[in-house]
Each structure stands twice: as C-alpha cells, then as structure tokens.
Amino acid sequence: CTAFRECIFGKITDKRMILSEAGKIVLQEWIKSFKIRSELSCDTFVIMPNHLHAILCIGASSEVTDIKTPIENHGVAYRSPKSISSFVGGFKSAATTRINELRKTPYAPVWQTRFHDHIIRDETEYQRIYWYIRNNPKNWKEDKFHH
C-alpha cells in the first residue's frame, strides 16, 4: 500500500487500471526485480491506484530464506538475504527513488512501511487469491483500499 493510501499509481476507468507515470515506474521496477532476483518469480500481479497485489513463487533453491527467520545480533530493520522481505524492501526502495525524482519530492514516503504476506497452502486457496487479484480492477469500488 502507498503511504496514506494515496492513489498515485493511476486510476480505474471502465473497470481497467490506467497507470500514471508513477504507476509505470512501479511496473518497470516490478519487472526488473525478477531479473535481479532469480530465486523468485511472479505468477500474477496487479497494480492498483494505491496498492499492489501479487502471487510470488519461491524457487527450489535451498539458499532462499524464510521471511520470519530469526537472526541474532541484527536490528529490527534487518532483512535476511534472498527473503521475501528483502525482495519487497529492494523493490519499494527502487520505485520510491524514481517516483520521488519524478515528483521532485526527495525523501517523501511512497509506501507504507510494512506489507502483508500470506503463504498459499493449497489449490483452492490459490484459485481464490489468483482470481481476486485478476478481478481487483473490476471490483475497485468494493475494495477496502478504495476511498
């Protein structure tokens, strides 16, 4: 989600997402992220006016670490390498830098500081989440992030 749930990534018109310049940056950085992080892939995603939904797949590599792995002797902002948290942090940082350059707002927050993640445990749950993401623009008026 964006900071203050501000709709900066575009707008929904005729139940379709139309990306703003900031939204186009998010799209570019999202795609670039998977070229950098080969241990992850994206099954499906949608950029909405003030948030993004995605299903990420973690590769079979044993080098991928769990998001909640406790690490001793590190501060609260520490992100394990090759974790979902590290991936999201890097993506948000790259997108923020470019969006702030575009808007001429150095150091302005673009995203909320945290994100929500969920492990998909079976095919039924996968189908429900997949179709929620795919239909999110059509259902924008009912979305909890719409304001």
Side-chain angles (χ1 to χ4, degrees), residues 24-55:
K24 290 174 186 174
I25 289 171
V26 169
L27 176 61
Q28 292 164 359
E29 291 300 328
W30 186 251
I31 291 168
K32 186 165 53 170
S33 295
F34 293 98
K35 292 177 181 169
I36 296 168
R37 305 295 291 271
S38 61
E39 69 274 8
L40 297 173
S41 63
C42 183
D43 184 339
T44 191
F45 74 99
V46 64
I47 300 168
M48 296 296 289
N50 60 5
H51 64 282
L52 178 145
H53 290 290
I55 296 176

PDB file of all heavy atoms in Angstrom, residues 24-55:
ATOM      1  N   LYS A  24       3.654   3.535 -13.871  1.00  0.00           N
ATOM      2  CA  LYS A  24       4.549   2.951 -14.888  1.00  0.00           C
ATOM      3  C   LYS A  24       5.924   2.659 -14.293  1.00  0.00           C
ATOM      4  O   LYS A  24       6.555   1.654 -14.632  1.00  0.00           O
ATOM      5  CB  LYS A  24       4.668   3.882 -16.088  1.00  0.00           C
ATOM      6  CG  LYS A  24       3.390   3.952 -16.910  1.00  0.00           C
ATOM      7  CD  LYS A  24       3.483   4.986 -18.013  1.00  0.00           C
ATOM      8  CE  LYS A  24       2.138   5.129 -18.726  1.00  0.00           C
ATOM      9  NZ  LYS A  24       2.155   6.217 -19.712  1.00  0.00           N
ATOM     10  N   ILE A  25       6.374   3.515 -13.394  1.00  0.00           N
ATOM     11  CA  ILE A  25       7.640   3.262 -12.702  1.00  0.00           C
ATOM     12  C   ILE A  25       7.523   1.998 -11.854  1.00  0.00           C
ATOM     13  O   ILE A  25       8.413   1.147 -11.860  1.00  0.00           O
ATOM     14  CB  ILE A  25       8.047   4.479 -11.838  1.00  0.00           C
ATOM     15  CG1 ILE A  25       8.487   5.629 -12.745  1.00  0.00           C
ATOM     16  CG2 ILE A  25       9.133   4.106 -10.827  1.00  0.00           C
ATOM     17  CD1 ILE A  25       8.701   6.958 -12.026  1.00  0.00           C
ATOM     18  N   VAL A  26       6.416   1.867 -11.128  1.00  0.00           N
ATOM     19  CA  VAL A  26       6.192   0.665 -10.307  1.00  0.00           C
ATOM     20  C   VAL A  26       6.236  -0.571 -11.198  1.00  0.00           C
ATOM     21  O   VAL A  26       6.894  -1.563 -10.861  1.00  0.00           O
ATOM     22  CB  VAL A  26       4.868   0.766  -9.526  1.00  0.00           C
ATOM     23  CG1 VAL A  26       4.496  -0.572  -8.887  1.00  0.00           C
ATOM     24  CG2 VAL A  26       4.960   1.849  -8.464  1.00  0.00           C
ATOM     25  N   LEU A  27       5.568  -0.532 -12.343  1.00  0.00           N
ATOM     26  CA  LEU A  27       5.573  -1.668 -13.271  1.00  0.00           C
ATOM     27  C   LEU A  27       6.997  -1.985 -13.734  1.00  0.00           C
ATOM     28  O   LEU A  27       7.420  -3.146 -13.711  1.00  0.00           O
ATOM     29  CB  LEU A  27       4.675  -1.374 -14.474  1.00  0.00           C
ATOM     30  CG  LEU A  27       4.659  -2.446 -15.564  1.00  0.00           C
ATOM     31  CD1 LEU A  27       4.162  -3.782 -15.037  1.00  0.00           C
ATOM     32  CD2 LEU A  27       3.810  -1.972 -16.744  1.00  0.00           C
ATOM     33  N   GLN A  28       7.741  -0.979 -14.139  1.00  0.00           N
ATOM     34  CA  GLN A  28       9.114  -1.198 -14.610  1.00  0.00           C
ATOM     35  C   GLN A  28       9.988  -1.799 -13.515  1.00  0.00           C
ATOM     36  O   GLN A  28      10.741  -2.748 -13.764  1.00  0.00           O
ATOM     37  CB  GLN A  28       9.718   0.122 -15.095  1.00  0.00           C
ATOM     38  CG  GLN A  28       9.079   0.655 -16.356  1.00  0.00           C
ATOM     39  CD  GLN A  28       9.406   2.125 -16.594  1.00  0.00           C
ATOM     40  OE1 GLN A  28      10.096   2.775 -15.804  1.00  0.00           O
ATOM     41  NE2 GLN A  28       8.890   2.666 -17.692  1.00  0.00           N
ATOM     42  N   GLU A  29       9.893  -1.254 -12.308  1.00  0.00           N
ATOM     43  CA  GLU A  29      10.718  -1.751 -11.207  1.00  0.00           C
ATOM     44  C   GLU A  29      10.295  -3.158 -10.781  1.00  0.00           C
ATOM     45  O   GLU A  29      11.130  -3.969 -10.394  1.00  0.00           O
ATOM     46  CB  GLU A  29      10.696  -0.788 -10.018  1.00  0.00           C
ATOM     47  CG  GLU A  29      11.402   0.519 -10.283  1.00  0.00           C
ATOM     48  CD  GLU A  29      12.878   0.380 -10.636  1.00  0.00           C
ATOM     49  OE1 GLU A  29      13.552  -0.561 -10.147  1.00  0.00           O
ATOM     50  OE2 GLU A  29      13.373   1.214 -11.419  1.00  0.00           O
ATOM     51  N   TRP A  30       9.000  -3.436 -10.859  1.00  0.00           N
ATOM     52  CA  TRP A  30       8.497  -4.774 -10.517  1.00  0.00           C
ATOM     53  C   TRP A  30       9.091  -5.802 -11.472  1.00  0.00           C
ATOM     54  O   TRP A  30       9.636  -6.822 -11.051  1.00  0.00           O
ATOM     55  CB  TRP A  30       6.972  -4.776 -10.572  1.00  0.00           C
ATOM     56  CG  TRP A  30       6.342  -6.055 -10.112  1.00  0.00           C
ATOM     57  CD1 TRP A  30       5.718  -6.984 -10.891  1.00  0.00           C
ATOM     58  CD2 TRP A  30       6.271  -6.543  -8.766  1.00  0.00           C
ATOM     59  NE1 TRP A  30       5.262  -8.014 -10.111  1.00  0.00           N
ATOM     60  CE2 TRP A  30       5.586  -7.769  -8.805  1.00  0.00           C
ATOM     61  CE3 TRP A  30       6.713  -6.050  -7.549  1.00  0.00           C
ATOM     62  CZ2 TRP A  30       5.341  -8.519  -7.664  1.00  0.00           C
ATOM     63  CZ3 TRP A  30       6.474  -6.808  -6.406  1.00  0.00           C
ATOM     64  CH2 TRP A  30       5.791  -8.026  -6.473  1.00  0.00           C
ATOM     65  N   ILE A  31       9.018  -5.535 -12.754  1.00  0.00           N
ATOM     66  CA  ILE A  31       9.551  -6.463 -13.757  1.00  0.00           C
ATOM     67  C   ILE A  31      11.066  -6.603 -13.603  1.00  0.00           C
ATOM     68  O   ILE A  31      11.602  -7.720 -13.631  1.00  0.00           O
ATOM     69  CB  ILE A  31       9.160  -5.993 -15.174  1.00  0.00           C
ATOM     70  CG1 ILE A  31       7.645  -6.166 -15.357  1.00  0.00           C
ATOM     71  CG2 ILE A  31       9.935  -6.764 -16.237  1.00  0.00           C
ATOM     72  CD1 ILE A  31       7.077  -5.487 -16.588  1.00  0.00           C
ATOM     73  N   LYS A  32      11.758  -5.492 -13.400  1.00  0.00           N
ATOM     74  CA  LYS A  32      13.210  -5.523 -13.233  1.00  0.00           C
ATOM     75  C   LYS A  32      13.608  -6.331 -11.999  1.00  0.00           C
ATOM     76  O   LYS A  32      14.637  -7.020 -12.009  1.00  0.00           O
ATOM     77  CB  LYS A  32      13.744  -4.088 -13.137  1.00  0.00           C
ATOM     78  CG  LYS A  32      15.254  -4.021 -13.116  1.00  0.00           C
ATOM     79  CD  LYS A  32      15.851  -2.653 -13.380  1.00  0.00           C
ATOM     80  CE  LYS A  32      15.360  -1.550 -12.532  1.00  0.00           C
ATOM     81  NZ  LYS A  32      16.148  -0.310 -12.674  1.00  0.00           N
ATOM     82  N   SER A  33      12.802  -6.289 -10.958  1.00  0.00           N
ATOM     83  CA  SER A  33      13.106  -7.003  -9.720  1.00  0.00           C
ATOM     84  C   SER A  33      13.288  -8.490  -9.941  1.00  0.00           C
ATOM     85  O   SER A  33      14.125  -9.131  -9.300  1.00  0.00           O
ATOM     86  CB  SER A  33      12.005  -6.766  -8.689  1.00  0.00           C
ATOM     87  OG  SER A  33      11.966  -5.424  -8.309  1.00  0.00           O
ATOM     88  N   PHE A  34      12.521  -9.080 -10.837  1.00  0.00           N
ATOM     89  CA  PHE A  34      12.596 -10.525 -11.065  1.00  0.00           C
ATOM     90  C   PHE A  34      13.780 -10.902 -11.943  1.00  0.00           C
ATOM     91  O   PHE A  34      14.195 -12.054 -11.957  1.00  0.00           O
ATOM     92  CB  PHE A  34      11.276 -11.046 -11.630  1.00  0.00           C
ATOM     93  CG  PHE A  34      10.177 -10.926 -10.621  1.00  0.00           C
ATOM     94  CD1 PHE A  34       9.300  -9.855 -10.663  1.00  0.00           C
ATOM     95  CD2 PHE A  34      10.050 -11.837  -9.591  1.00  0.00           C
ATOM     96  CE1 PHE A  34       8.311  -9.707  -9.706  1.00  0.00           C
ATOM     97  CE2 PHE A  34       9.068 -11.697  -8.627  1.00  0.00           C
ATOM     98  CZ  PHE A  34       8.194 -10.634  -8.688  1.00  0.00           C
ATOM     99  N   LYS A  35      14.323  -9.932 -12.654  1.00  0.00           N
ATOM    100  CA  LYS A  35      15.552 -10.185 -13.405  1.00  0.00           C
ATOM    101  C   LYS A  35      16.742 -10.196 -12.448  1.00  0.00           C
ATOM    102  O   LYS A  35      17.707 -10.913 -12.661  1.00  0.00           O
ATOM    103  CB  LYS A  35      15.730  -9.130 -14.494  1.00  0.00           C
ATOM    104  CG  LYS A  35      14.676  -9.253 -15.577  1.00  0.00           C
ATOM    105  CD  LYS A  35      14.797  -8.176 -16.616  1.00  0.00           C
ATOM    106  CE  LYS A  35      13.683  -8.376 -17.640  1.00  0.00           C
ATOM    107  NZ  LYS A  35      13.558  -7.274 -18.537  1.00  0.00           N
ATOM    108  N   ILE A  36      16.649  -9.402 -11.386  1.00  0.00           N
ATOM    109  CA  ILE A  36      17.710  -9.320 -10.385  1.00  0.00           C
ATOM    110  C   ILE A  36      17.634 -10.496  -9.418  1.00  0.00           C
ATOM    111  O   ILE A  36      18.651 -11.038  -9.005  1.00  0.00           O
ATOM    112  CB  ILE A  36      17.598  -7.988  -9.600  1.00  0.00           C
ATOM    113  CG1 ILE A  36      17.830  -6.806 -10.532  1.00  0.00           C
ATOM    114  CG2 ILE A  36      18.553  -7.960  -8.419  1.00  0.00           C
ATOM    115  CD1 ILE A  36      17.453  -5.465  -9.921  1.00  0.00           C
ATOM    116  N   ARG A  37      16.414 -10.894  -9.053  1.00  0.00           N
ATOM    117  CA  ARG A  37      16.195 -11.920  -8.031  1.00  0.00           C
ATOM    118  C   ARG A  37      15.715 -13.212  -8.676  1.00  0.00           C
ATOM    119  O   ARG A  37      14.530 -13.524  -8.679  1.00  0.00           O
ATOM    120  CB  ARG A  37      15.179 -11.428  -6.999  1.00  0.00           C
ATOM    121  CG  ARG A  37      15.510 -10.108  -6.330  1.00  0.00           C
ATOM    122  CD  ARG A  37      16.763 -10.183  -5.475  1.00  0.00           C
ATOM    123  NE  ARG A  37      16.585 -10.980  -4.296  1.00  0.00           N
ATOM    124  CZ  ARG A  37      16.162 -10.520  -3.137  1.00  0.00           C
ATOM    125  NH1 ARG A  37      15.875  -9.244  -2.990  1.00  0.00           N
ATOM    126  NH2 ARG A  37      16.030 -11.320  -2.119  1.00  0.00           N
ATOM    127  N   SER A  38      16.636 -13.982  -9.210  1.00  0.00           N
ATOM    128  CA  SER A  38      16.272 -15.197  -9.955  1.00  0.00           C
ATOM    129  C   SER A  38      15.653 -16.275  -9.073  1.00  0.00           C
ATOM    130  O   SER A  38      15.038 -17.209  -9.583  1.00  0.00           O
ATOM    131  CB  SER A  38      17.493 -15.748 -10.691  1.00  0.00           C
ATOM    132  OG  SER A  38      18.504 -16.080  -9.761  1.00  0.00           O
ATOM    133  N   GLU A  39      15.790 -16.161  -7.764  1.00  0.00           N
ATOM    134  CA  GLU A  39      15.205 -17.163  -6.869  1.00  0.00           C
ATOM    135  C   GLU A  39      13.694 -16.987  -6.719  1.00  0.00           C
ATOM    136  O   GLU A  39      13.027 -17.830  -6.149  1.00  0.00           O
ATOM    137  CB  GLU A  39      15.874 -17.137  -5.493  1.00  0.00           C
ATOM    138  CG  GLU A  39      15.595 -15.909  -4.661  1.00  0.00           C
ATOM    139  CD  GLU A  39      16.520 -14.721  -4.929  1.00  0.00           C
ATOM    140  OE1 GLU A  39      17.314 -14.764  -5.880  1.00  0.00           O
ATOM    141  OE2 GLU A  39      16.437 -13.744  -4.165  1.00  0.00           O
ATOM    142  N   LEU A  40      13.160 -15.880  -7.248  1.00  0.00           N
ATOM    143  CA  LEU A  40      11.724 -15.609  -7.175  1.00  0.00           C
ATOM    144  C   LEU A  40      11.149 -15.432  -8.569  1.00  0.00           C
ATOM    145  O   LEU A  40      11.831 -14.997  -9.487  1.00  0.00           O
ATOM    146  CB  LEU A  40      11.472 -14.322  -6.381  1.00  0.00           C
ATOM    147  CG  LEU A  40      11.888 -14.308  -4.921  1.00  0.00           C
ATOM    148  CD1 LEU A  40      11.710 -12.905  -4.343  1.00  0.00           C
ATOM    149  CD2 LEU A  40      11.094 -15.309  -4.120  1.00  0.00           C
ATOM    150  N   SER A  41       9.884 -15.756  -8.699  1.00  0.00           N
ATOM    151  CA  SER A  41       9.152 -15.446  -9.923  1.00  0.00           C
ATOM    152  C   SER A  41       7.771 -14.946  -9.531  1.00  0.00           C
ATOM    153  O   SER A  41       7.325 -15.140  -8.400  1.00  0.00           O
ATOM    154  CB  SER A  41       9.052 -16.673 -10.832  1.00  0.00           C
ATOM    155  OG  SER A  41       8.324 -17.706 -10.191  1.00  0.00           O
ATOM    156  N   CYS A  42       7.123 -14.297 -10.468  1.00  0.00           N
ATOM    157  CA  CYS A  42       5.799 -13.741 -10.216  1.00  0.00           C
ATOM    158  C   CYS A  42       4.784 -14.507 -11.037  1.00  0.00           C
ATOM    159  O   CYS A  42       4.899 -14.579 -12.266  1.00  0.00           O
ATOM    160  CB  CYS A  42       5.778 -12.252 -10.559  1.00  0.00           C
ATOM    161  SG  CYS A  42       4.199 -11.469 -10.190  1.00  0.00           S
ATOM    162  N   ASP A  43       3.807 -15.082 -10.375  1.00  0.00           N
ATOM    163  CA  ASP A  43       2.750 -15.830 -11.040  1.00  0.00           C
ATOM    164  C   ASP A  43       1.748 -14.858 -11.671  1.00  0.00           C
ATOM    165  O   ASP A  43       1.457 -14.935 -12.852  1.00  0.00           O
ATOM    166  CB  ASP A  43       2.063 -16.743 -10.028  1.00  0.00           C
ATOM    167  CG  ASP A  43       1.009 -17.648 -10.638  1.00  0.00           C
ATOM    168  OD1 ASP A  43       0.516 -17.342 -11.739  1.00  0.00           O
ATOM    169  OD2 ASP A  43       0.673 -18.660 -10.010  1.00  0.00           O
ATOM    170  N   THR A  44       1.228 -13.942 -10.870  1.00  0.00           N
ATOM    171  CA  THR A  44       0.307 -12.922 -11.357  1.00  0.00           C
ATOM    172  C   THR A  44       0.417 -11.714 -10.438  1.00  0.00           C
ATOM    173  O   THR A  44       0.846 -11.843  -9.292  1.00  0.00           O
ATOM    174  CB  THR A  44      -1.154 -13.434 -11.427  1.00  0.00           C
ATOM    175  OG1 THR A  44      -1.959 -12.492 -12.143  1.00  0.00           O
ATOM    176  CG2 THR A  44      -1.744 -13.675 -10.054  1.00  0.00           C
ATOM    177  N   PHE A  45       0.045 -10.558 -10.960  1.00  0.00           N
ATOM    178  CA  PHE A  45       0.069  -9.346 -10.144  1.00  0.00           C
ATOM    179  C   PHE A  45      -0.860  -8.322 -10.757  1.00  0.00           C
ATOM    180  O   PHE A  45      -1.256  -8.429 -11.918  1.00  0.00           O
ATOM    181  CB  PHE A  45       1.488  -8.772 -10.017  1.00  0.00           C
ATOM    182  CG  PHE A  45       1.995  -8.094 -11.258  1.00  0.00           C
ATOM    183  CD1 PHE A  45       1.949  -6.710 -11.386  1.00  0.00           C
ATOM    184  CD2 PHE A  45       2.526  -8.837 -12.297  1.00  0.00           C
ATOM    185  CE1 PHE A  45       2.413  -6.083 -12.530  1.00  0.00           C
ATOM    186  CE2 PHE A  45       3.000  -8.220 -13.439  1.00  0.00           C
ATOM    187  CZ  PHE A  45       2.947  -6.834 -13.561  1.00  0.00           C
ATOM    188  N   VAL A  46      -1.208  -7.331  -9.953  1.00  0.00           N
ATOM    189  CA  VAL A  46      -1.964  -6.187 -10.448  1.00  0.00           C
ATOM    190  C   VAL A  46      -1.526  -4.960  -9.651  1.00  0.00           C
ATOM    191  O   VAL A  46      -1.364  -5.036  -8.430  1.00  0.00           O
ATOM    192  CB  VAL A  46      -3.495  -6.394 -10.359  1.00  0.00           C
ATOM    193  CG1 VAL A  46      -3.981  -6.521  -8.926  1.00  0.00           C
ATOM    194  CG2 VAL A  46      -4.237  -5.274 -11.072  1.00  0.00           C
ATOM    195  N   ILE A  47      -1.291  -3.884 -10.359  1.00  0.00           N
ATOM    196  CA  ILE A  47      -1.023  -2.599  -9.731  1.00  0.00           C
ATOM    197  C   ILE A  47      -2.355  -1.876  -9.672  1.00  0.00           C
ATOM    198  O   ILE A  47      -3.041  -1.741 -10.689  1.00  0.00           O
ATOM    199  CB  ILE A  47       0.008  -1.781 -10.533  1.00  0.00           C
ATOM    200  CG1 ILE A  47       1.328  -2.545 -10.618  1.00  0.00           C
ATOM    201  CG2 ILE A  47       0.192  -0.388  -9.910  1.00  0.00           C
ATOM    202  CD1 ILE A  47       2.315  -1.967 -11.612  1.00  0.00           C
ATOM    203  N   MET A  48      -2.713  -1.425  -8.487  1.00  0.00           N
ATOM    204  CA  MET A  48      -3.953  -0.697  -8.271  1.00  0.00           C
ATOM    205  C   MET A  48      -3.617   0.756  -7.968  1.00  0.00           C
ATOM    206  O   MET A  48      -2.447   1.103  -7.828  1.00  0.00           O
ATOM    207  CB  MET A  48      -4.720  -1.346  -7.114  1.00  0.00           C
ATOM    208  CG  MET A  48      -5.177  -2.776  -7.398  1.00  0.00           C
ATOM    209  SD  MET A  48      -6.364  -2.908  -8.747  1.00  0.00           S
ATOM    210  CE  MET A  48      -7.812  -2.184  -7.973  1.00  0.00           C
ATOM    211  N   PRO A  49      -4.596   1.658  -7.881  1.00  0.00           N
ATOM    212  CA  PRO A  49      -4.287   3.073  -7.643  1.00  0.00           C
ATOM    213  C   PRO A  49      -3.415   3.337  -6.417  1.00  0.00           C
ATOM    214  O   PRO A  49      -2.581   4.242  -6.439  1.00  0.00           O
ATOM    215  CB  PRO A  49      -5.670   3.717  -7.490  1.00  0.00           C
ATOM    216  CG  PRO A  49      -6.546   2.875  -8.376  1.00  0.00           C
ATOM    217  CD  PRO A  49      -6.035   1.466  -8.141  1.00  0.00           C
ATOM    218  N   ASN A  50      -3.574   2.519  -5.353  1.00  0.00           N
ATOM    219  CA  ASN A  50      -2.791   2.782  -4.139  1.00  0.00           C
ATOM    220  C   ASN A  50      -2.204   1.525  -3.498  1.00  0.00           C
ATOM    221  O   ASN A  50      -1.815   1.538  -2.337  1.00  0.00           O
ATOM    222  CB  ASN A  50      -3.637   3.545  -3.118  1.00  0.00           C
ATOM    223  CG  ASN A  50      -4.876   2.798  -2.699  1.00  0.00           C
ATOM    224  OD1 ASN A  50      -5.101   1.657  -3.086  1.00  0.00           O
ATOM    225  ND2 ASN A  50      -5.710   3.446  -1.904  1.00  0.00           N
ATOM    226  N   HIS A  51      -2.134   0.448  -4.259  1.00  0.00           N
ATOM    227  CA  HIS A  51      -1.518  -0.767  -3.740  1.00  0.00           C
ATOM    228  C   HIS A  51      -1.196  -1.726  -4.877  1.00  0.00           C
ATOM    229  O   HIS A  51      -1.538  -1.463  -6.032  1.00  0.00           O
ATOM    230  CB  HIS A  51      -2.406  -1.445  -2.687  1.00  0.00           C
ATOM    231  CG  HIS A  51      -3.722  -1.949  -3.188  1.00  0.00           C
ATOM    232  ND1 HIS A  51      -4.810  -1.131  -3.423  1.00  0.00           N
ATOM    233  CD2 HIS A  51      -4.126  -3.205  -3.496  1.00  0.00           C
ATOM    234  CE1 HIS A  51      -5.830  -1.869  -3.848  1.00  0.00           C
ATOM    235  NE2 HIS A  51      -5.441  -3.128  -3.900  1.00  0.00           N
ATOM    236  N   LEU A  52      -0.552  -2.815  -4.515  1.00  0.00           N
ATOM    237  CA  LEU A  52      -0.182  -3.847  -5.479  1.00  0.00           C
ATOM    238  C   LEU A  52      -0.490  -5.197  -4.851  1.00  0.00           C
ATOM    239  O   LEU A  52      -0.267  -5.385  -3.647  1.00  0.00           O
ATOM    240  CB  LEU A  52       1.319  -3.709  -5.765  1.00  0.00           C
ATOM    241  CG  LEU A  52       1.975  -4.691  -6.710  1.00  0.00           C
ATOM    242  CD1 LEU A  52       3.054  -3.969  -7.503  1.00  0.00           C
ATOM    243  CD2 LEU A  52       2.595  -5.848  -5.967  1.00  0.00           C
ATOM    244  N   HIS A  53      -1.013  -6.110  -5.653  1.00  0.00           N
ATOM    245  CA  HIS A  53      -1.230  -7.491  -5.223  1.00  0.00           C
ATOM    246  C   HIS A  53      -0.390  -8.382  -6.119  1.00  0.00           C
ATOM    247  O   HIS A  53      -0.281  -8.118  -7.319  1.00  0.00           O
ATOM    248  CB  HIS A  53      -2.685  -7.930  -5.416  1.00  0.00           C
ATOM    249  CG  HIS A  53      -3.664  -7.292  -4.506  1.00  0.00           C
ATOM    250  ND1 HIS A  53      -3.721  -7.561  -3.159  1.00  0.00           N
ATOM    251  CD2 HIS A  53      -4.663  -6.419  -4.746  1.00  0.00           C
ATOM    252  CE1 HIS A  53      -4.710  -6.871  -2.620  1.00  0.00           C
ATOM    253  NE2 HIS A  53      -5.294  -6.162  -3.563  1.00  0.00           N
ATOM    254  N   ALA A  54       0.138  -9.461  -5.575  1.00  0.00           N
ATOM    255  CA  ALA A  54       0.916 -10.398  -6.388  1.00  0.00           C
ATOM    256  C   ALA A  54       0.962 -11.761  -5.735  1.00  0.00           C
ATOM    257  O   ALA A  54       0.821 -11.890  -4.521  1.00  0.00           O
ATOM    258  CB  ALA A  54       2.332  -9.873  -6.569  1.00  0.00           C
ATOM    259  N   ILE A  55       1.162 -12.754  -6.572  1.00  0.00           N
ATOM    260  CA  ILE A  55       1.492 -14.096  -6.104  1.00  0.00           C
ATOM    261  C   ILE A  55       2.935 -14.337  -6.532  1.00  0.00           C
ATOM    262  O   ILE A  55       3.243 -14.320  -7.726  1.00  0.00           O
ATOM    263  CB  ILE A  55       0.568 -15.175  -6.701  1.00  0.00           C
ATOM    264  CG1 ILE A  55      -0.875 -14.965  -6.237  1.00  0.00           C
ATOM    265  CG2 ILE A  55       1.069 -16.569  -6.303  1.00  0.00           C
ATOM    266  CD1 ILE A  55      -1.878 -15.937  -6.845  1.00  0.00           C
TER     267      ILE A  55
END
